[in-house]
């Protein structure tokens, strides 16, 4: 497993590249950090992004997961339950 974490505004992105037969599957969890009482809460999760597509390298899978999470945060807040 390979992981990447980063803050994006009021959110924290946890991206993963999970080893799978034929490559790596991208996964992501987005947690809301600010504006939440007492503790962060999970706002979005996808453990088999792009229908479970396999990327050739963990870097490609992580890059895809982070970019998709950033896109959801910026353009689709309804998916985050906000």
């Amino acid at each position: 497993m390979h992981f990447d974490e980063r803050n994006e505004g009021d959110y924290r992105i946890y991206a993963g590249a999970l080893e799978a037969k034929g490559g790596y599957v991208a996964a992501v969890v987005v947690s809301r950090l600010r504006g939440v009482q007492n503790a962060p809460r999970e706002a979005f999760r996808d453990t088999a992004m792009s229908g479970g597509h396999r990327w050739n390298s963990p870097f490609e899978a992580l890059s895809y997961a982070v970019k998709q999470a950033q896109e959801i945060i910026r353009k689709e807040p309804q998916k985050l339950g906000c």
Side-chain angles (χ1 to χ4, degrees):
M1 287 187 190
H2 301 266
F3 294 99
D4 188 8
E5 298 179 25
R6 61 184 68 190
N7 289 338
E8 186 76 24
D10 290 343
Y11 298 91
R12 179 104 176 136
I13 298 170
Y14 301 92
L18 312 173
E19 292 180 51
K21 188 174 183 178
Y24 294 85
V25 175
V28 71
V29 173
V30 177
S31 292
R32 185 169 175 85
L33 300 176
R34 296 180 220 357
V36 178
Q37 294 179 352
N38 299 327
R41 70 164 180 85
E42 187 175 302
F44 179 81
R45 174 185 292 261
D46 189 344
T47 58
M49 300 185 81
S50 193
H53 173 81
R54 296 333 192 241
W55 280 266
N56 292 326
S57 73
F59 174 78
E60 291 173 306
L62 287 172
S63 179
Y64 178 82
V66 169
K67 286 178 186 175
Q68 292 301 306
Q70 290 171 329
E71 192 77 12
I72 289 168
I73 290 167
R74 290 185 187 128
K75 294 185 178 179
E76 301 184 59
Q78 72 278 6
K79 286 189 177 181
L80 300 172
C82 301

